[in-house]
Amino acid sequence: VTTATLRPSSDHMPAGVFRRVLLIGGYAVKLPRIRHFTAGMRCNRWEKEMWQCWRPKLGWQNLCPVLFADPLGVVVVMPRAEQPVGLQEVEAAIGDYFPDNTAESKPEDYGRIGQAVLALDYGLPWQDMIVERRSYYAKHVRAREGAR
């Protein structure tokens, strides 16, 4: 995923391909970049869906919380995380979740909130990726529910 990482420094605005991140006090505010506005909005909407819909059903504990997200995907607000974190910390945070979530395993996409190392960037920019993941997760949720 190619969005910005959240950095504790306030002297610049982190930017990825699809989004920029405003660091305001204890919050990270993710906004679509103008030149990739639709894809950035899609990333924001997917993070909201992952947090609200799929995380509770699939039990992921390694996603940074979405504190606020508008329905259109113009803004996502998360807690501000401390960075950097090391590769070993990221690998431990990724854990053994099945199915996996959409966060990459790059240390710059992770940060520390309290004692937890969490994925800060798990948005998807392309509709076909979202459709595929939604289907994949729904299949696993149905299988889990059928096993009960």
Side-chain angles (χ1 to χ4, degrees):
V1 181
T2 55
T3 58
T5 58
L6 310 182
R7 303 182 203 288
S9 149
S10 61
D11 56 354
H12 73 292
M13 184 187 324
V17 173
F18 302 109
R19 298 183 286 181
R20 290 195 177 273
V21 181
L22 295 171
L23 301 173
I24 304 169
Y27 302 99
V29 180
K30 297 182 177 185
L31 304 167
R33 290 179 65 118
I34 296 299
R35 68 177 161 207
H36 297 291
F37 199 75
T38 303
M41 288 174 54
R42 206 173 285 119
C43 287
N44 282 349
R45 286 193 307 269
W46 181 248
E47 283 184 345
K48 176 184 178 184
E49 181 176 333
M50 287 281 289
W51 179 255
Q52 292 179 346
C53 177
W54 301 114
R55 178 196 55 86
K57 294 176 182 176
L58 296 169
W60 299 312
Q61 299 297 312
N62 61 346
L63 299 180
C64 187
V66 173
L67 303 175
F68 173 81
D70 74 293
L72 297 176
V74 175
V75 64
V76 161
V77 178
M78 293 179 162
R80 186 173 179 163
E82 296 178 27
Q83 287 187 300
V85 296
L87 182 58
Q88 289 179 330
E89 293 174 290
V90 170
E91 289 171 352
I94 291 171
D96 193 21
Y97 292 107
F98 182 79
D100 61 339
N101 60 51
T102 55
E104 292 186 45
S105 58
K106 302 181 301 188
E108 57 269 23
D109 285 351
Y110 284 75
R112 185 179 318 287
I113 297 178
Q115 298 300 311
V117 174
L118 302 173
L120 308 176
D121 179 5
Y122 46 96
L124 291 176
W126 310 119
Q127 185 62 33
D128 60 334
M129 298 166 93
I130 291 170
V131 168
E132 184 276 326
R133 274 296 166 153
R134 210 176 265 145
S135 172
Y136 176 70
Y137 293 151
K139 179 179 97 176
H140 286 284
V141 168
R142 284 190 304 273
R144 285 181 181 200
E145 291 170 351
R148 291 182 193 172

Short mmCIF file of all heavy atoms in Angstrom, two decimals, residues 32 37-38 40-42 44-45 48 69-75:
data_model
loop_
_atom_site.label_atom_id
_atom_site.label_comp_id
_atom_site.label_asym_id
_atom_site.label_seq_id
_atom_site.Cartn_x
_atom_site.Cartn_y
_atom_site.Cartn_z
N PRO A 32 -6.87 12.64 1.00
CA PRO A 32 -6.44 12.27 -0.36
C PRO A 32 -5.58 13.36 -0.98
O PRO A 32 -5.82 14.55 -0.76
CB PRO A 32 -7.75 12.14 -1.13
CG PRO A 32 -8.82 12.07 -0.11
CD PRO A 32 -8.32 12.78 1.11
N PHE A 37 -7.02 11.93 -6.09
CA PHE A 37 -8.09 12.15 -5.11
C PHE A 37 -9.01 10.93 -4.96
O PHE A 37 -9.30 10.51 -3.85
CB PHE A 37 -8.91 13.39 -5.51
CG PHE A 37 -9.70 13.95 -4.37
CD1 PHE A 37 -9.07 14.67 -3.37
CD2 PHE A 37 -11.07 13.75 -4.30
CE1 PHE A 37 -9.79 15.18 -2.31
CE2 PHE A 37 -11.79 14.26 -3.24
CZ PHE A 37 -11.16 14.98 -2.24
N THR A 38 -9.44 10.35 -6.06
CA THR A 38 -10.36 9.21 -5.99
C THR A 38 -9.71 8.01 -5.33
O THR A 38 -10.30 7.35 -4.47
CB THR A 38 -10.88 8.84 -7.39
OG1 THR A 38 -11.49 10.00 -7.96
CG2 THR A 38 -11.88 7.72 -7.36
N GLY A 40 -7.16 8.06 -3.26
CA GLY A 40 -6.96 8.41 -1.86
C GLY A 40 -8.24 8.27 -1.04
O GLY A 40 -8.22 7.78 0.09
N MET A 41 -9.36 8.68 -1.63
CA MET A 41 -10.65 8.51 -0.95
C MET A 41 -10.95 7.02 -0.77
O MET A 41 -11.45 6.60 0.28
CB MET A 41 -11.77 9.18 -1.75
CG MET A 41 -11.73 10.68 -1.68
SD MET A 41 -12.94 11.50 -2.76
CE MET A 41 -14.47 10.76 -2.28
N ARG A 42 -10.63 6.23 -1.79
CA ARG A 42 -10.86 4.79 -1.71
C ARG A 42 -10.01 4.18 -0.58
O ARG A 42 -10.50 3.33 0.17
CB ARG A 42 -10.54 4.14 -3.05
CG ARG A 42 -11.28 2.87 -3.29
CD ARG A 42 -11.07 2.33 -4.71
NE ARG A 42 -11.81 3.09 -5.69
CZ ARG A 42 -11.27 3.77 -6.71
NH1 ARG A 42 -9.97 3.77 -6.91
NH2 ARG A 42 -12.02 4.43 -7.55
N ASN A 44 -9.05 5.67 2.14
CA ASN A 44 -9.68 6.07 3.40
C ASN A 44 -10.93 5.24 3.68
O ASN A 44 -11.15 4.79 4.80
CB ASN A 44 -10.02 7.56 3.37
CG ASN A 44 -8.80 8.42 3.62
OD1 ASN A 44 -7.74 7.94 4.02
ND2 ASN A 44 -8.95 9.72 3.39
N ARG A 45 -11.76 5.05 2.66
CA ARG A 45 -12.99 4.26 2.87
C ARG A 45 -12.64 2.82 3.23
O ARG A 45 -13.31 2.20 4.06
CB ARG A 45 -13.88 4.31 1.63
CG ARG A 45 -14.60 5.63 1.45
CD ARG A 45 -15.71 5.56 0.41
NE ARG A 45 -15.28 5.04 -0.87
CZ ARG A 45 -14.83 5.78 -1.88
NH1 ARG A 45 -14.74 7.10 -1.76
NH2 ARG A 45 -14.49 5.22 -3.03
N LYS A 48 -11.59 2.52 6.83
CA LYS A 48 -12.80 2.59 7.67
C LYS A 48 -13.51 1.23 7.66
O LYS A 48 -13.90 0.73 8.71
CB LYS A 48 -13.73 3.68 7.15
CG LYS A 48 -15.05 3.76 7.89
CD LYS A 48 -15.97 4.80 7.26
CE LYS A 48 -17.31 4.84 7.97
NZ LYS A 48 -18.24 5.76 7.33
N ALA A 69 -14.03 8.64 10.45
CA ALA A 69 -13.91 8.57 8.99
C ALA A 69 -15.24 9.02 8.41
O ALA A 69 -16.29 8.51 8.79
CB ALA A 69 -13.58 7.16 8.54
N ASP A 70 -15.19 9.97 7.50
CA ASP A 70 -16.43 10.41 6.86
C ASP A 70 -16.85 9.36 5.83
O ASP A 70 -16.04 8.55 5.38
CB ASP A 70 -16.23 11.78 6.20
CG ASP A 70 -15.41 11.68 4.93
OD1 ASP A 70 -14.22 11.35 5.02
OD2 ASP A 70 -15.98 11.89 3.85
N PRO A 71 -18.12 9.33 5.43
CA PRO A 71 -18.60 8.30 4.51
C PRO A 71 -18.02 8.39 3.10
O PRO A 71 -17.94 7.38 2.41
CB PRO A 71 -20.12 8.51 4.47
CG PRO A 71 -20.45 9.62 5.38
CD PRO A 71 -19.18 10.18 5.94
N LEU A 72 -17.58 9.55 2.68
CA LEU A 72 -17.05 9.71 1.32
C LEU A 72 -15.59 9.31 1.20
O LEU A 72 -15.11 9.04 0.11
CB LEU A 72 -17.22 11.16 0.86
CG LEU A 72 -18.66 11.65 0.75
CD1 LEU A 72 -18.67 13.13 0.37
CD2 LEU A 72 -19.44 10.82 -0.25
N GLY A 73 -14.86 9.31 2.30
CA GLY A 73 -13.44 9.00 2.25
C GLY A 73 -12.55 10.21 2.13
O GLY A 73 -11.38 10.09 1.78
N VAL A 74 -13.06 11.38 2.44
CA VAL A 74 -12.26 12.59 2.37
C VAL A 74 -11.29 12.68 3.55
O VAL A 74 -10.19 13.21 3.42
CB VAL A 74 -13.15 13.85 2.29
CG1 VAL A 74 -12.33 15.13 2.33
CG2 VAL A 74 -14.01 13.80 1.03
N VAL A 75 -11.68 12.12 4.69
CA VAL A 75 -10.83 12.21 5.88
C VAL A 75 -10.93 10.95 6.72
O VAL A 75 -12.01 10.36 6.86
CB VAL A 75 -11.19 13.47 6.72
CG1 VAL A 75 -12.59 13.39 7.27
CG2 VAL A 75 -10.19 13.68 7.85
#
